[in-house]
Amino acid sequence: MTNITKINLGQNGPLVSKLGLGCMRMSPVFGSPVRDETESIATIQAALDSGINFLNTGDFYGAGHNELLVGKAIKGRRDDAFISVKFGAIFYNSQMLGLDLRPVAIKNFINYSLVRLGIDTIDLYQPCRIDNSVPMEDVIGTVADLIKEGKVRYLGVSEITADQLRKANEIHPVTALEIGYSLADRQIENDLLPAAKELGIGVVAFANTAEGLLSGDMKAPLEPDAYQNHFTRFQGENLVKNLEKVEVLKQIARDKGITPTQLAIAWVNAQGNHIMPLVSMSRRSRLPENMQAMEIVFTPEEINALNTNFAPGAILGGTYLQR
């Protein structure tokens, strides 16, 4: 099987695998179905066996189910895993109600996470988003206190602006930024990615296939109960036009003898050594294909074709944040 390269997560940061495993879809989130728990645990363990040590979860994924799952998978092999946990989202019946970033809430959240995961220290701890309900100094400062206490090793942030990133980093050094990034979602290239690079902050890039748009399997219209229907890019003529763009990606993939999903992951991987593709998997059968994507190299002509057809704004409709 493919050997996974290791990188430093951010300037002088911890050594982690260049490919990260997103565990969210192993649990019921946003109304998604419950997965085969035995297979999910086996997938995490197979990833660890393959050298993928970065495991991404959130305390609100499946109302704690995801952390319990990860905890079972890493039992007896804590040193093999680098655990990234997001916090702050408040859910009820699979619906996000808002954020709670008060210091007292963060201190409550982390203790539950540590128990569910069965560990003493979380490697990377990050607010899932930042709003104006609580001063940034209080949010980041609380995580900094948890680092001093030994409950957290590194500070991360997720889904924020370049200005917010700079402010957070001034309060306490930020190790990693988790953000959606793909050929279909390139708006962060204007200011957020340059800011992260300038500050020496690693980038954990999720949604590499843009919620399945770039997988090559999507057809219009979507099933009525598909969660993607909440995003404007998957609605009406937007989806029809976007799938026409995806045909270009599919042709390039065919010419290279790879899958569209592999191409999408490989493009993100090619954007720099400071960027980690974070790929969601819940089945062991997905591992080889996604790991092989990390070895794909593009010619200048291929990169030009991809960048031309998927220039920022080429995909119609809202992003994962704007919906």
Side-chain angles (χ1 to χ4, degrees), residues 87 124-127 140 143 154-158 173-178:
F87 67 85
L124 184 70
Y125 201 52
Q126 54 193 333
I140 301 302
V143 179
Y154 300 99
L155 166 68
V157 292
S158 178
V174 175
T175 295
L177 160 70
E178 184 179 326

Side-chain angles (χ1 to χ4, degrees), residues 91-140:
F91 274 75
Y92 182 73
N93 291 344
S94 298
Q95 296 295 318
M96 185 171 174
L97 303 181
L99 299 175
D100 190 349
L101 300 174
R102 296 170 301 153
V104 67
I106 297 171
K107 292 174 181 177
N108 182 54
F109 291 149
I110 192 163
N111 283 335
Y112 279 100
S113 289
L114 290 170
V115 170
R116 286 190 290 252
L117 289 162
I119 60 180
D120 298 320
T121 305
I122 290 171
D123 297 305
L124 184 70
Y125 201 52
Q126 54 193 333
C128 64
R129 291 181 188 176
I130 293 287
D131 63 6
N132 296 318
S133 63
V134 178
M136 177 84 78
E137 291 81 0
D138 290 349
V139 179
I140 301 302

Side-chain angles (χ1 to χ4, degrees), residues 9 20 24 28 33 58 111 116 122 138 148 159 200 213 215 217 231 240-241 243-244 264 269 309 317 320:
L9 188 62
M24 181 181 77
N111 283 335
R116 286 190 290 252
I122 290 171
D138 290 349
K148 290 176 185 175
E159 300 185 33
L213 177 64
S215 69
D217 298 327
F231 300 76
V240 173
K241 296 291 186 183
L243 289 177
E244 290 174 3
N269 184 48
N309 283 280
Y320 66 96

